[in-house]
């Protein structure tokens, strides 16, 4: 999964297509599990734009989207964030959420 900058996230939103932005911190144990789940999702949904970022380096996105904790998955479609996911639950749950 590619590390995205603020500009890459904005480009994904402006595309109008469904995209996902995974936010994490390196020392978060739950984030480590979520990262592995997202790697599987990336393989299952190769057409989906998926990026990730250490939330410590994109504070403005965290502030703008009122991120409460990590891991967090921002899902956008149609030019706006349509969902914020904090509980990743399972790969099948994420797959159903993100498939087109």
């Amino acid at each position: 999964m590619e590390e995205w900058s603020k500009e890459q996230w904005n480009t994904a939103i402006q595309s109008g297509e469904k995209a996902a932005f995974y936010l994490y911190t390196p020392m978060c144990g739950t984030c480590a599990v979520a990262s592995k789940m997202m790697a599987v999702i990336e393989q299952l949904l190769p057409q989906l734009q998926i990026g990730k970022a250490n939330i410590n380096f994109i504070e403005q996105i965290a502030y703008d989207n009122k991120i409460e904790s990590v891991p967090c998955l921002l899902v956008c479609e149609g030019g706006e964030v349509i969902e914020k996911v904090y509980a990743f639950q399972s790969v099948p749950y994420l797959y159903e959420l993100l498939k087109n």
Side-chain angles (χ1 to χ4, degrees):
M1 193 173 345
E2 183 183 357
E3 288 277 339
W4 277 2
S5 65
K6 178 181 176 185
E7 292 74 23
Q8 287 169 295
W9 171 236
N10 289 334
T11 299
I13 291 174
Q14 291 167 1
S15 76
E17 296 176 22
K18 187 175 244 183
F21 196 24
Y22 166 61
L23 306 174
Y24 68 95
T25 59
M27 299 302 291
C28 164
T30 308
C31 296
V33 174
S35 292
K36 291 176 182 171
M37 294 168 75
M38 289 304 297
V40 174
I41 292 298
E42 188 176 34
Q43 296 300 310
L44 293 172
L45 299 170
Q47 74 285 1
L48 181 67
Q49 295 181 77
I50 302 176
K52 69 177 181 175
N54 180 338
I55 199 166
N56 295 314
F57 298 119
I58 55 158
E59 292 176 15
Q60 192 60 47
I61 290 174
Y63 179 78
D64 292 345
N65 290 283
K66 299 176 177 65
I67 304 301
E68 298 168 21
S69 66
V70 290
C72 179
L73 185 67
L74 297 175
V75 182
C76 73
E77 189 169 24
E80 62 185 50
V81 174
I82 58 169
E83 190 138 10
K84 272 191 286 193
V85 178
Y86 295 106
F88 282 45
Q89 299 180 25
S90 67
V91 170
Y93 169 79
L94 292 171
Y95 178 78
E96 288 299 319
L97 176 76
L98 295 171
K99 74 176 184 179
N100 286 334

